[in-house]
């Protein structure tokens, strides 16, 4: 049997304006990326920091261009403002489609993902590129992809009174499975801001899990 040495391409997507060493989610994310790199030294790992790299926002020009693109126009045929946003936007879509594995690291903010991560989601959940509508219903177009979601939250949502309130990792999971990502792993650090809590221990457990997970990606 011929063994194919196929290197996966990884996108490490972070959404946190904090410095890495001050952030639970970014610290765990970095440990996962480092562990993966030490096991796969030649892997192509691209980092997208949505707070430090401009993520194109859906705006008036993008919305004007969208039906034209759907009708078959290419960006070069569009007015300059529409061409500019459209090219930047779909470059993100394409970059996502071409990767094999996604690692997301982010905090829970007001029960959801940070707003610039939502802006990034707008660039990856795109009709006719990452999903399509068929007579049988919507169909995800991504195949053979894996995602890891690393989320830190001040409170606890997997049990207790706030169970219904977590729309961060759950939202991202919905989006990713909708567009076809089959394997989605989550590393949740919960109750990280509770006084008298064991945040350091939880973070260390999350790091252990991340390092183990790296072996399976
Ligand atoms: C703007 C903002 C909103 C937040 N909203 C929530 C929230 O809705 N629920 C929660 O449990 N924690 C909330 N937190 C707390 C963070 O989720 C918590 O501190 C988390 O551990 C931060 O992760 P990090 O260390 O990776 O930044 C919020 C923090 C900020 C700054």
């Amino acid at each position: 049997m011929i063994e194919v040495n196929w290197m996966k391409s990884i996108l490490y997507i972070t959404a946190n304006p904090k410095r890495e060493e001050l952030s639970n989610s970014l610290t765990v994310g970095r440990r996962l990326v480092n562990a993966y790199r030490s096991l796969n030294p030649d892997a192509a790992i691209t980092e997208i920091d949505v707070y430090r790299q401009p993520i194109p926002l859906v705006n008036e020009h993008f919305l004007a261009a969208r039906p034209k693109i759907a009708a078959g126009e290419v960006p070069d045929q569009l007015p300059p403002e529409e061409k500019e946003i459209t090219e930047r936007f779909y470059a993100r879509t394409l970059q996502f489609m071409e990767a094999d594995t996604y690692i997301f690291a982010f905090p829970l903010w007001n029960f959801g993902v940070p707003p610039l991560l939502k802006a990034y989601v707008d660039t990856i959940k795109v009709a006719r590129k990452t999903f399509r509508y068929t007579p049988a219903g919507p169909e995800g177009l991504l195949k053979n992809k894996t995602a890891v979601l690393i989320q830190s939250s001040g409170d606890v949502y997997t049990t207790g009174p706030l169970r219904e309130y977590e729309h961060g990792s759950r939202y991202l999971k919905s989006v990713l499975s909708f567009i076809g990502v089959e394997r989605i792993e989550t590393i949740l650090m919960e109750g990280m801001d509770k006084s008298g809590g064991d945040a350091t221990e939880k973070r260390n457990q999350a790091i252990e899990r991340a390092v183990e997970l790296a072996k399976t990606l």
Side-chain angles (χ1 to χ4, degrees):
M1 200 173 88
I2 301 167
E3 198 173 300
V4 180
N5 188 9
W6 177 63
M7 270 304 156
K8 285 187 180 164
S9 90
I10 312 280
L11 283 187
Y12 177 40
I13 301 138
T14 58
N16 201 329
K18 277 185 192 170
R19 290 215 313 269
E20 188 172 282
E21 65 273 22
L22 301 178
S23 154
N24 297 310
S25 53
L26 297 183
T27 298
V28 175
R30 179 61 60 197
R31 293 293 292 269
L32 174 49
V33 168
N34 288 349
Y36 186 82
R37 194 185 283 290
S38 67
L39 295 166
N40 305 276
D42 299 326
I45 303 176
T46 303
E47 303 199 8
I48 302 174
D49 176 344
V50 300
Y51 273 87
R52 291 173 184 85
Q53 298 173 21
I55 298 300
L57 296 179
V58 171
N59 66 11
E60 179 189 356
H61 303 301
F62 179 76
L63 292 178
R66 203 161 72 133
K68 299 180 197 171
I69 295 282
E73 279 190 49
V74 294
D76 277 342
Q77 295 170 282
L78 300 170
E81 303 91 341
E82 293 180 23
K83 173 174 150 63
E84 195 267 340
I85 179 79
T86 304
E87 282 181 340
R88 289 205 299 127
F89 193 95
Y90 290 121
R92 288 289 172 201
T93 316
L94 187 66
Q95 180 187 44
F96 195 82
M97 290 163 72
E98 286 177 346
D100 302 296
T101 303
Y102 315 108
I103 299 167
F104 287 88
F106 56 96
L108 185 71
W109 276 5
N110 295 321
F111 305 141
V113 296
L116 294 183
L117 181 52
K118 170 59 173 61
Y120 183 72
V121 167
D122 290 340
T123 71
I124 63 168
K125 182 179 171 296
V126 177
R128 290 175 301 278
K129 293 189 186 289
T130 58
F131 74 96
R132 67 177 174 187
Y133 293 105
T134 73
E139 180 192 1
L141 295 176
L142 300 186
K143 302 278 177 255
N144 301 319
K145 313 281 191 191
T146 295
V148 181
L149 312 182
I150 301 165
Q151 177 182 274
S152 180
S153 60
D155 224 312
V156 174
Y157 298 85
T158 48
T159 57
L162 293 178
R163 254 166 126 124
E164 301 301 317
Y165 288 75
E166 203 265 89
H167 307 291
S169 69
R170 287 180 197 159
Y171 162 69
L172 214 46
K173 211 170 165 178
S174 300
V175 169
L176 293 169
S177 72
F178 184 85
I179 61 179
V181 179
E182 276 161 16
R183 180 176 171 212
I184 304 173
E185 305 281 352
T186 40
I187 300 180
L188 298 178
M189 284 166 278
E190 297 194 293
M192 300 303 274
D193 296 346
K194 282 187 178 280
S195 59
D198 43 4
T200 307
E201 196 186 319
K202 286 176 184 164
R203 189 156 96 172
N204 287 339
Q205 283 170 1
I207 290 172
E208 265 177 45
R209 168 105 200 282
V211 170
E212 279 307 303
L213 205 51
K215 298 176 190 162
T216 73
L217 295 179

